[in-house]
Amino acid sequence: MASVHESLYFNPMMTNGVVHANVFGIKDWVTPYKISVLVLLSEMTKNTEITAVEKRRLKKQILPLLQGPDMSLSKLIKIVNECCPNVASSLQIRIKLMAEGELKDMEQFFDELSDSFSGTEPDVHKTSVVGLFLRHMILAYNKLSFSQVYKLYTSLQNYSRCDKAKKTSKNEEAEMELTNTEEEEREMEKEDLDCPIGEEELACSGPLSQKQAEYFLSHQASLLKNDESKALSPVLLQKELNNLLKFNPDFAEAHYLSYLNSLRVQDVFSSTHSLLHYFDRLILTGAESKSNGDEGYGRSLRYAALNLAALHCRFGHYHQAELALQEAIRIAQESSDHVCLQHCLSWLYILKSRKGEDNSVFLEHSVKKAVHFGLPYLASLGIQSLVQQRAFAGKTADKLMDALKDADLLHWKHSLSELIDISTAQKTAIWRLYGRSTMALQQAQMLLSINTLDSVHVSVQQNNTESFAVVLCHLADLHAEQGCFSAASEILKHLKERFPPNSQHAKLWMLFDQKIQFDRAMNDGKYHITESLVTGITALNSIEGLYRKAVVLKAQNQTAEAHKILQVLLTHCQKVKNIEMVIRVLLSLAELYWRSSCHPVALPVLLQALALSREYRLQYLASETVLNLAFSQLMLGIPEQALNILHMAIEPILAHGAVLDKGRAMFLVAKCQVASAASLTPHKKTEALESAIVNLNEAKTYFCKVDCKEQIRDILYMQARLYNSLGKIQERNKCAMLFRQIHQELPCHGISLLIRL
């Protein structure tokens, strides 16, 4: 088949060795693959042993086989064999007989095809999809000259022979794997290099018909949007597109798919080149002007500028994006195109948010105008962006959920399934932001179990979008927080399969994977491992990576370096209004002050963090800040007051907190109980110490889930002291022995038990 496409002897598009520019002026032409499909259709009508289930399976495959690109014979037989083995064997036999026979066998086959339309009840209706295909093939075959027919027959022989050679090479490879001599290994490598490339090269090595090209482009575009893992790899897809453009350089849709493919690999030059070529071809072919009158030319220009602005914004070229956006706005205003202006306003909001400027006015105006002009998709995206902005501004959860509920009504009314996914994923992220892990888990499970998604293609569901990546990442993080690391690793494994490393959403799971590994290494005290993880996190998120670097330095008692980094990070986060990170940095600064025995200095920092967390309604961070305040009060010698304020934080942490935070909370309660027991009567003191031991056991259970050996060592030390005070020698010796075992495993950094939360 490859030789036929290279020479194009029987291709009606070719005159005197020159390919016509308008490739798709011809509806269809005959190829060896299409002869195989014709044989398949003939076998389906003649074979009486096909069951109803097998016939149904075959009919489901007919349309992709008719409209899809040419494929190798082995792949075609494999597809048919999965539906009906009986038809697959007869198909293979008939093609073999036709290819190994004479030219008159192929002539006779095409003559018999016309009989499918004869009779009162024909096998194939003339106006059906299959009927039109048969008529096109018969017409194209009848137009061929004798030399072209002979060339077609020769290509059919090569097509069948290539499949046979491929099977022979596979059998030889299987036999050669049984031997291990160097000579045979070299022969096998040579045969691998010399054998025909096969399916990948034969998939689209020549010009496609109009229907094949349209089907190929629409199929790959839908896969890039909904299920990128099932689309062709960037290299192979670009090769197929280059082959399409070689035969038809003015095919605008192929240029646009090339633009989308270049975005996958973050290729600035190629994506810009393809985008400009797409709009150039769109204007030159006059496709826009035919359907839009005199507005077609100007419409292409303004949307070209808008897409160019979106491209520059995606790559972080904000100045170039702003210039292109201004050009699009100017042209749209001259043409009074309110729809284009709404798109420009939406991108203006995105551009302002990327640059860290105040953009609430643009967003509110965009939502109002989108509703006014009846643009539900833009209106819904605006509402969701407004909800996200309000969440970061500290609005209450009930108002945000009411707004998302109204947006969901809009989604269901207009069947915007993609926005339903985004809304559910956003609810998951909002509940995580507010520290309600149970509600976040519920929303995540709701999206994963939803069954109302429309199928975008055969065996492809709209479930490989960014929304599913976000939800699965949150699920992995939630399981890791509860100490279920095996479950988290399974989720991450599934994410790696669903979103390969070269896909556009792979950065999400990469960041969460690095974070989970970092937390595990910190819990185990393996600080040498965290250095490489910090580098990986920084490559994906510079702010998060800088914070994690400070955490490692703090754990290694490099207080001065950690304080310097935290101060720089605090200034930057306050400037960009990243309140969540500001609070986390303040808590880390307070811990540095503890380690320097400056507990009074830590109090104002903690009070500032508490005020911010309550102002922005970050309940979990507020509870964690109260926990740190209680520890500061314990260090200042007022354990009774520390116990009183602990009741404010203990309930949210035990209900929604991570296992590590639950253990820290119970450990702190035990410390406060021991410290406040000094002024009690002997009887009450004994009860307080026994209660502290119970709390220490619970804290130890939590720390064992996350394998936090340093904290377990501290608990065992404290339990041994308490058992000694109570006169329980056997329990004391057991705790002392366990403490000694862990102490020998872990290095001691000289941090006292009293200055660690």
Side-chain angles (χ1 to χ4, degrees), residues 71-136:
M71 62 180 70
S72 65
L73 181 60
S74 61
K75 189 174 182 180
L76 175 63
I77 292 175
K78 180 181 178 182
I79 293 174
V80 178
N81 189 57
E82 292 175 354
C83 302
C84 181
N86 189 15
V87 173
S89 60
S90 59
L91 169 66
Q92 190 171 10
I93 292 171
R94 284 197 63 179
I95 294 177
K96 181 180 178 181
L97 291 175
M98 189 184 301
E100 296 179 354
E102 299 179 355
L103 182 60
K104 64 178 182 179
D105 296 331
M106 189 177 71
E107 287 277 354
Q108 184 180 359
F109 171 73
F110 275 94
D111 291 339
E112 292 174 353
L113 283 179
S114 302
D115 298 337
S116 303
F117 304 109
S118 61
T120 55
E121 294 183 359
D123 297 331
V124 180
H125 198 274
K126 288 185 177 181
T127 58
S128 65
V129 175
V130 176
L132 290 173
F133 176 73
L134 290 176
R135 290 164 64 189
H136 288 161

Side-chain angles (χ1 to χ4, degrees), residues 126 213 313 358 386 423 433 449 452 531-532 672 711:
K126 288 185 177 181
C313 188
D358 186 18
L386 200 59
S423 177
L433 178 68
S449 60
T452 56
E531 295 178 0
S532 60
C672 293
Q711 300 280 7

Side-chain angles (χ1 to χ4, degrees), residues 541-551 562-578 581-586 588-589:
N541 190 327
S542 58
I543 295 177
E544 190 72 30
L546 198 60
Y547 172 73
R548 302 278 173 157
K549 183 178 181 181
V551 170
H563 185 269
K564 187 184 299 183
I565 292 176
L566 289 174
Q567 286 292 346
V568 173
L569 188 58
L570 180 63
T571 305
H572 174 73
C573 292
Q574 287 175 340
K575 182 179 179 181
V576 299
K577 296 182 179 179
N578 188 349
M581 183 58 72
V582 167
I583 297 171
R584 289 164 62 187
V585 170
L586 289 174
S588 297
L589 283 172

